Amino acid sequence: MPKEEKAFRPKEEKKAAGGQSEIAKKFKQNPLVFIGTVLVLILVIVTFVFWGAGDWILPRSGMLSDDELTFAYYNNIPVELSPGSFFSEQRKYYIDQMRGNERYATERAFNSAVTRTAILDIMKHAGYEPPKPLVDKKVAALPRYQEDGKFSLLRWRSEPQSARIEIQKYMHDDIITSRYYGDLAARDADNGRYSYSVLVSSKEADFIGSMAKIQRSFKLALFPYSSFPEEELLAFVKRNETLFKNVHISQISMSGLNEPAEAQKVLDSIKNGSTTFEDAAKAHSDDSFKQNGGEAGVRLSFELRTLIPNEDDRNAVIALKAGELSAPVKLSSGWGIFRAEAAVTDAAFNEQATLDKIRRYMSENERGVIEDWLIKRAREFSAQAKDDWDAAALSFGVESKQFGPVPLNYGDTTLFARVRDFSSGIPQLSSAGTSEIFWNNAFSTPVNGISEPFVISSGDENVAILQPVEENIENEEAVKNTTNLYKGTFIENEIFNSIEDAIMHSKKFVNNFDEKYNTLFGQQPGQQFGQQFSFQ
């Protein structure tokens, strides 16, 4: 079956490595395809131009029930992957476009089918029904039924009756979806046509276009938090010794208690010998140590901060002598009793496990200490990098990376090249596009100057330094093309995606995609639809 004349519109547009957005590149290569984006749900107009209806209207195999082919419901209307359905034909189209990425192709076809189903239902409840003469006129205009520039009744009648009914139904539905999208557009006072671009002010479009005018390429130096050196860890420990003592205790944690009185009763029963600490833990404790009689092992003293929030209470537990019992202690939830199993000792700072715990503590609680040290280190790098960036990177053991060109694309809009498009080689850039401090440094630093150190928060956080090494100024034609692209294709795609998202999050939508897809296609990955089962 011939495919839909429209653009494939994934949620995330890819970018060309050279900095030009992929959407802009494809627009220049084939503008008619992008201008036809509005046909996202309109398949039949082109479908019947080339192929006969009999090629796609296939009787369902008895092997599959309606329920097995129903991937979703919208307002109780089924969305089926049955032969000849809109869903099925969209799936063929997307598989052809994606050259075998079957799962994603099916998802995109599914989204289109659900959206179309919802729009038809919305328009039905709005009371819109296309006039039959209009449907007939659209059918008569299909190139397949033209002969010498006129509609051929003979060609039309040569189609099977079932095919004619399906063609008219598709044309009927396409008129409805076209009307729905058309009603979202506005009338252009200059030419009288309806367009989405009219919804955008000229100042807004000009501003967006101007964002693409200046593009820069950069060198990047990264100082990861994980590079905070061991000697600095130990220096911090020396200044805060009480946080890093070995504490070996047993505990009875009673999270259901609001008052200390019940905990005191348990403590009294241990002290008077009517029960042991171990038995009391098994009877009253509700933590993971109860089965071991409350034995909690050896921990660093700072690790008790979550369990015992009050510093005085925590210090009292840490100060217990071997075999000594605590008074009832207020926990983060409930009350507890502790027993020291050994005297407090210094932690084994020569063991990697201990150093890892200290590093984790500092990352979670003393980030400022790490950040201050890294910023100081970055500034020392900058002083040398002003003369020779690459030599400074070698001297400091810093990996130097390069990326660009990119415009000032704050927010990582798909209209332009995005910083995150370079994140496959520089993962630290994955969230930089939404960072105001990143863009401030990127475009306020003079070309060949060195930026101030700043923090990039993405995965393993880093202190970063940028050097803009090149700046390109786009010509006015390129800026104008971006402006027009924003007013046209970009706005259209945003509107269509917003409609699709709203429908997909509607309470009327019941989604069974994963279950049905895995049932039909999941048993043998890579298998084409129709190999696992057949449509006769």
Side-chain angles (χ1 to χ4, degrees), residues 344-392:
V344 172
T345 60
D346 291 332
F349 299 121
N350 60 335
E351 294 181 1
Q352 188 60 48
T354 301
L355 293 174
D356 290 343
K357 284 184 178 182
I358 297 170
R359 187 178 295 278
R360 185 165 60 251
Y361 169 82
M362 292 194 67
S363 296
E364 294 173 356
N365 302 283
E366 300 289 348
R367 298 174 63 79
V369 174
I370 297 175
E371 189 173 302
D372 288 346
W373 187 90
L374 291 173
I375 288 175
K376 180 182 177 183
R377 178 76 169 165
R379 287 201 169 111
E380 292 170 354
F381 168 85
S382 296
Q384 289 192 28
K386 288 177 181 178
D387 298 325
D388 190 328
W389 175 284
D390 294 332

Side-chain angles (χ1 to χ4, degrees), residues 169-318:
K169 180 182 183 303
Y170 265 64
M171 295 306 299
H172 170 275
D173 292 349
D174 286 335
I175 291 169
I176 293 174
T177 54
S178 295
R179 178 61 182 268
Y180 177 87
Y181 283 110
D183 284 350
L184 298 176
R187 188 181 181 89
D188 190 328
D190 294 333
N191 56 32
R193 297 177 181 175
Y194 284 85
S195 168
Y196 296 112
S197 63
V198 183
L199 302 173
V200 181
S201 73
S202 59
K203 289 185 178 180
E204 176 186 339
D206 290 342
F207 172 76
I208 295 297
S210 69
M211 289 174 63
K213 189 167 187 176
I214 300 175
Q215 299 197 19
R216 285 185 163 190
S217 297
F218 301 90
K219 286 184 177 180
L220 170 69
L222 295 168
F223 301 82
Y225 279 42
S226 58
S227 68
F228 189 67
E230 185 177 306
E231 56 267 26
E232 292 297 324
L233 283 177
L234 295 176
F236 179 83
V237 169
K238 192 171 182 179
R239 297 192 300 269
N240 300 272
E241 291 180 346
T242 57
L243 290 171
F244 306 103
K245 297 291 186 179
N246 279 331
V247 181
H248 186 183
I249 56 176
S250 292
Q251 65 189 55
I252 301 172
S253 305
M254 296 167 280
S255 62
L257 301 185
N258 296 319
E259 299 295 334
E262 288 299 318
Q264 185 63 52
K265 289 180 182 179
V266 175
L267 178 60
D268 290 342
S269 69
I270 297 171
K271 285 184 173 182
N272 65 28
S274 60
T275 187
T276 65
F277 187 97
E278 289 75 12
D279 288 342
K282 291 177 181 179
H284 300 286
S285 192
D286 50 17
D287 60 31
S288 60
F289 305 114
K290 64 181 294 182
Q291 295 304 322
N292 296 325
E295 166 63 60
V298 178
R299 285 177 278 187
L300 292 179
S301 48
F302 80 81
E303 295 180 281
L304 296 175
R305 298 198 334 168
T306 301
L307 180 64
I308 310 173
N310 183 275
E311 184 177 1
D312 291 338
D313 290 342
R314 188 168 61 252
N315 288 337
V317 170
I318 294 171

